[in-house]
Structures are given as structure tokens and as C-alpha cells.
Amino acid sequence: FIQIEQILKNHLKFMERKRIQMEDALQEILDRQEIIDLTIAYGWLLDHGPRERLDTVFTEDAVCDYMSVVVEGLPAIIEKVTNALGPLDASQHIVSNQQVTINGDTATCRCYLHAQHTLRGTEGGDNFVIAGRYDDELIRTPDGWRITFRKLSRDWTEGNPGIRQPS
């Protein structure tokens, strides 16, 4: 009887360890998906607004490095993207190939970007495309994951850069 009791205790310990491992694995999957969803939400908010809802993507003190133009703080980020995209007839920011690394309550994410910008009737052509990467640093907050730092790096462009207004 003592052997059976010991076997059951060992089995219960084993099952508890497995339960904890499964909970940890599930939490990591949920965290990864939430971070990927943030990268997607950013594009939708840029293209369709309301840009004030970028507070669901960034921390209040976030910093963005937009191809060496550094913008500090959520209000300045909102102003920057509004000034850059507001005059356009349309834009479409597509992200893909997200690679997420989680370390406790911090994370990094990098992804590809393909952004189309359109301003009809522009001399030299109506379209300008930027392809590049976002490199993000994130933190877990009581409201979920938020980006604390985002760097945009350009890989290539195509079309008429004249459609973009200085901002």
C-alpha cells in the first residue's frame, strides 16, 4: 500500500508540473498573439483611425525612431503620423513576418512593413511605397502589452516621394 501511495504522490507531482508547463506555454502563445495584434492594430489606426487610439498600442512615454527622426511621447507620435498621413487620399500599412521574443514582462518584436501612400493628382505620380522593418521594444502593462520603442528602417522605396508632405 505504501508503494502505491508513493506512486500516486509522484504522479500527482508530475501532473502538477505538466499543468504549470502547459499554463506557461499557453500564456506565451497568448502574449505572442497580443504583440502581433499590436503591430497590426498600428497599421489599421494609421490608415483608418482614430489615431488617438494609438494609446492602445504605445505607452504614454513611447519613443519612435522614424528613419532617424526621433519622436518622443504619445502625443508627439500621434501628431507626427497625422501630419505625415493626413494630407493623403489613402495609405495602407501592411506588416508581416513578426518575430517575437518574450522575457518576462518585456519583449521585442520585429516585422516587415510594406506601406503604400496615395495622393491623387500629384505631379510625378500618385503613389509612393516604402518597404522596411519595424523593430519594437514592449512592456506588459495592466492594460496589456504596449510598445515603448519603435524603430522604422527603410529597405527600399518605389514611386514618387513627392506625395509625402514634410512633417
Side-chain angles (χ1 to χ4, degrees), residues 1-64:
F1 179 74
I2 293 176
Q3 282 183 326
I4 294 173
E5 185 176 311
Q6 188 59 43
I7 291 170
L8 287 173
K9 282 182 183 180
N10 288 342
H11 183 70
L12 288 174
K13 286 179 186 177
F14 171 80
M15 294 303 292
E16 179 62 15
R17 283 194 309 272
K18 283 294 185 189
R19 184 188 64 77
I20 291 169
Q21 288 172 349
M22 288 181 64
E23 284 179 4
D24 290 347
L26 177 58
Q27 186 60 55
E28 183 171 343
I29 291 168
L30 293 171
D31 288 341
R32 285 179 182 281
Q33 189 59 54
E34 184 178 347
I35 290 167
I36 290 168
D37 288 349
L38 276 181
T39 68
I40 296 167
Y42 176 77
W44 279 98
L45 289 168
L46 289 187
D47 298 333
H48 302 286
R51 294 187 185 114
E52 294 76 22
R53 296 305 300 153
L54 286 169
D55 65 345
T56 64
V57 174
F58 292 101
T59 60
E60 188 66 30
D61 60 349
V63 175
C64 287

Side-chain angles (χ1 to χ4, degrees), residues 58-74:
F58 292 101
T59 60
E60 188 66 30
D61 60 349
V63 175
C64 287
D65 178 345
Y66 291 120
M67 297 180 295
S68 300
V69 175
V70 178
V71 182
E72 297 183 21
L74 181 59

Side-chain angles (χ1 to χ4, degrees), residues 42 46-47 51 67 81 84-94 113-120 122 125-132 134 152 154 156-165:
Y42 176 77
L46 289 187
D47 298 333
R51 294 187 185 114
M67 297 180 295
V81 299
L85 300 173
L88 301 178
D89 291 317
S91 66
Q92 186 178 53
H93 291 75
I94 301 169
L113 158 74
H114 189 267
Q116 174 86 23
H117 306 87
T118 301
L119 185 61
R120 291 178 196 86
T122 303
D126 295 350
N127 296 306
F128 183 61
V129 176
I130 298 174
Y134 288 126
L152 167 60
R154 177 179 51 223
W156 57 269
T157 64
E158 182 177 47
N160 180 8
I163 69 126
R164 297 184 62 229
Q165 303 295 319

